[in-house]
């Protein structure tokens, strides 16, 4: 058994930089190289790609990036784990095997199967399944149906001797936690270690987002051009250190790691994964020299007997057009032109006997449209009109895409043309999430032409007595006779889960937390972010993490459908934290004076 295991993550999403893998292989001293390609939005895109090409539906970037590194991987005995398989993992493995054959490199490639429930769709449809958030029934037709598997199948593939493991849909952190369970021989019932492993995976799964990418204090981050990708060095007791290759750009501090820990989670005391329920509330982040942070304190509980399943289904068509309008009263001109285009095409639909638009969304970029009522720029002299529309009939949106051009000569002055030319009409692929018994998934591994079954660990029932009691943040002491913007007191990051968004807020100093918590109640967040919350189903929950003195907010139904179904310029809530950082926090004068 090794004393430590070093794992580097070279991809945060499908389309991430092609330079990270070589950086980690050259300078990371790795035992494992992992890639995370999948998000809920990515599964929708891959499902559409497989509809067009039966050999598509996987992350082709994985093959392109890995091919030139095959000799080094073999020489250094670096094992690779990736969910690059998407909705077609066997096609991904075949493409990589061809690359290995061409290079004359012999590596054992294993494919984990069992997440794809599309062949069982008719059976599922007869079970009265409903969406886990809205309660709506399963659509009549889905283009993909994939369970979020955990780490056991990957562990079995590694036990069988795989050098490269390719999966379909697994939870993002599983590509890391599987390597640790395999190397250290941890029990599937050692839930604290599994929670620490999941946290290690969660922190590096988004690549450079823990090494200074997307960081609130972006001015402090050196050398974006060569930003380092993350490495976790994990000990057998499950504590780990987050670092990056020597000499690379970026920044690793408790704040950069803390932002990522809070990213895209709901209840931090019950972060639900297939192998463990994680409690991150007592996690502590300690600096260990320059660009290194030690992480410890995650706790775990037995998981449920369910998998989350994400299905995708077609829901009409969408079209998005952008055009610049400039000059005097640009914002007012843009509003009138936008509405005129919508009104005119709506009238044409009616004349043809077509249904009205399913949804329209107008955003004037440059007028601080994403800020809603908090926008401050209403007099700008140039603005980009972003017109996004949905309709059940493709022909209606083809008409829309053609009629926009007339605005250039028949409406307000200063319209310079459509950005990128006439817009394309795309199918809308919408997400549908539900829970299913783990027994519904038949896990097996394909390797060297042989099929190996994979049994799941025996379940341990969760004792409700073991559930932790949520702590409340401390109340402030003293009188608030001044105020400062939140950004002076804290860093923050936001992200998405389906149609929900979270905003994690981590104070710069522990003593700021009581004042932040007193000011940022769920009711205050509802009011501040009301322009993004669904007027009927939108709500906000808040949790406290004592270990890092942090708060996490979940904004339910805040993304206009989320992913590719949303017509908004920010369909994943990436800018929500930036908006919240401007809110004023009442504090004592003694704190306010620290920022003078």
């Amino acid at each position: 058994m090794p004393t430590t295991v070093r794992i580097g993550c070279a991809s945060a999403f499908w389309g991430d930089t092609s330079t990270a893998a070589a950086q980690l292989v050259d300078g990371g001293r790795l035992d494992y190289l992992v890639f995370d390609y999948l998000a809920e939005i990515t599964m929708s895109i891959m499902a559409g790609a497989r509809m067009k090409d039966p050999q598509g539906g996987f992350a082709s970037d994985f093959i392109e990036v890995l091919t030139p590194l095959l000799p080094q991987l073999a020489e250094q005995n670096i094992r690779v784990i990736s969910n690059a398989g998407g909705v077609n993992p066997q096609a991904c493995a075949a493409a990589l095997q061809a690359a290995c054959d061409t290079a004359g490199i012999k590596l054992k490639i294993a494919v984990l199967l069992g997440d794809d429930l599309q062949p069982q769709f008719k059976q599922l449809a007869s079970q009265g399944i409903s969406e886990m958030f809205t309660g709506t029934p399963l659509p009549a037709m889905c283009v993909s149906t994939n369970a979020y598997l955990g780490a056991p199948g990957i562990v079995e593939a590694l036990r069988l001797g795989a050098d490269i493991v390719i999966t379909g849909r697994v939870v993002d952190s599983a590509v890391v936690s599987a390597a640790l369970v395999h190397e250290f021989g941890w029990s599937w019932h050692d839930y604290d270690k599994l929670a620490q492993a999941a946290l290690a995976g969660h922190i590096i799964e988004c690549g450079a987002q823990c090494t200074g990418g997307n960081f609130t204090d972006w001015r402090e981050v050196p050398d974006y051009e060569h930003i380092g990708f993350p490495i976790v060095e994990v000990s057998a007791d499950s504590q780990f250190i987050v670092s990056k290759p020597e000499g690379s750009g970026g920044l690793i501090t408790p704040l950069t790691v803390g932002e990522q820990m809070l990213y895209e989670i709901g209840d931090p005391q019950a972060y639900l994964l297939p192998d463990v329920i994680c409690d991150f509330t007592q996690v502590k982040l300690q600096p260990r020299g320059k660009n290194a942070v030690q992480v410890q304190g995650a706790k775990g509980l037995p998981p449920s007997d369910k998998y989350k399943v994400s299905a995708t289904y077609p829901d009409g068509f969408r079209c998005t057009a952008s055009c610049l309008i400039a000059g005097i009263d640009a914002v007012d001109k843009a509003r009138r032109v936008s509405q005129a285009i919508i009104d005119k095409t709506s009238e044409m639909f009616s004349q043809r006997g077509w249904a009205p638009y399913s949804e329209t969304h107008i955003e004037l970029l440059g007028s601080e449209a994403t800020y809603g009522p908090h926008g401050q720029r209403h007099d700008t002299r140039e603005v980009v009109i972003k017109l996004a529309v949905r309709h059940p009939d493709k022909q209606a949106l083809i008409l829309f895409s053609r009629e926009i051009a007339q605005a250039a000569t028949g409406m307000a002055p200063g319209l310079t043309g459509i950005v990128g030319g006439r817009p394309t009409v795309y199918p809308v692929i919408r997400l549908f999430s539900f829970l299913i018994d783990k027994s519904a998934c038949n896990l097996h591994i394909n390797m060297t032409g042989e099929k190996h079954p994979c049994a799941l660990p025996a379940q341990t029932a969760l004792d409700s007595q073991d559930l932790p009691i949520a702590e409340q943040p401390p109340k402030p002491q003293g009188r608030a006779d001044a105020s400062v913007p939140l950004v002076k007191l804290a860093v923050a990051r936001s992200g998405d889960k389906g149609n929900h968004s979270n905003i994690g807020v981590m104070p710069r100093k522990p003593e700021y937390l009581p004042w932040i918590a007193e000011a940022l109640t769920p009711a205050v967040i509802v009011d501040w972010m009301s322009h993004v919350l669904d007027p009927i189903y939108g709500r906000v929950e808040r949790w406290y993490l004592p270990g890092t003195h942090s708060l996490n907010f979940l904004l339910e139904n805040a993304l206009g459908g989320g992913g590719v179904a949303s017509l908004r310029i920010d369909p994943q809530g990436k800018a929500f934290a930036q908006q919240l950082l401007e809110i004023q926090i009442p504090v004592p004068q003694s704190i306010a004076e620290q920022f003078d």
Side-chain angles (χ1 to χ4, degrees), residues 6 138 212 237 280:
R6 289 176 62 86
L138 187 69
D237 66 0
F280 297 154

Side-chain angles (χ1 to χ4, degrees), residues 10-82:
S11 175
F13 60 94
W14 189 19
D16 205 345
T17 176
S18 61
T19 63
Q23 176 201 88
L24 288 164
V25 170
D26 290 341
R29 296 179 287 111
L30 300 182
D31 299 300
Y32 285 83
L33 178 66
V34 302
F35 297 77
D36 177 27
Y37 287 102
L38 302 184
E40 290 165 329
I41 189 171
T42 317
M43 295 299 283
S44 300
I45 295 168
M46 287 180 167
R50 188 176 63 177
M51 289 171 67
K52 294 179 181 178
D53 177 7
Q55 295 305 308
F58 65 89
S60 55
D61 303 24
F62 178 62
I63 313 300
E64 296 164 9
V65 167
L66 217 56
T67 297
L69 298 175
L70 291 173
Q72 289 171 272
L73 295 173
E75 181 183 343
Q76 297 180 41
N77 294 315
I78 298 173
R79 300 172 93 170
V80 177
I81 306 173
S82 176

Side-chain angles (χ1 to χ4, degrees), residues 356-378:
Y357 286 111
S358 306
E359 183 183 1
T360 64
H361 197 68
I362 300 169
E363 290 175 296
L364 307 183
L365 312 184
S367 69
E368 301 193 356
T370 58
Y371 280 78
H374 310 298
Q376 298 171 356
R377 291 293 305 275
H378 304 292

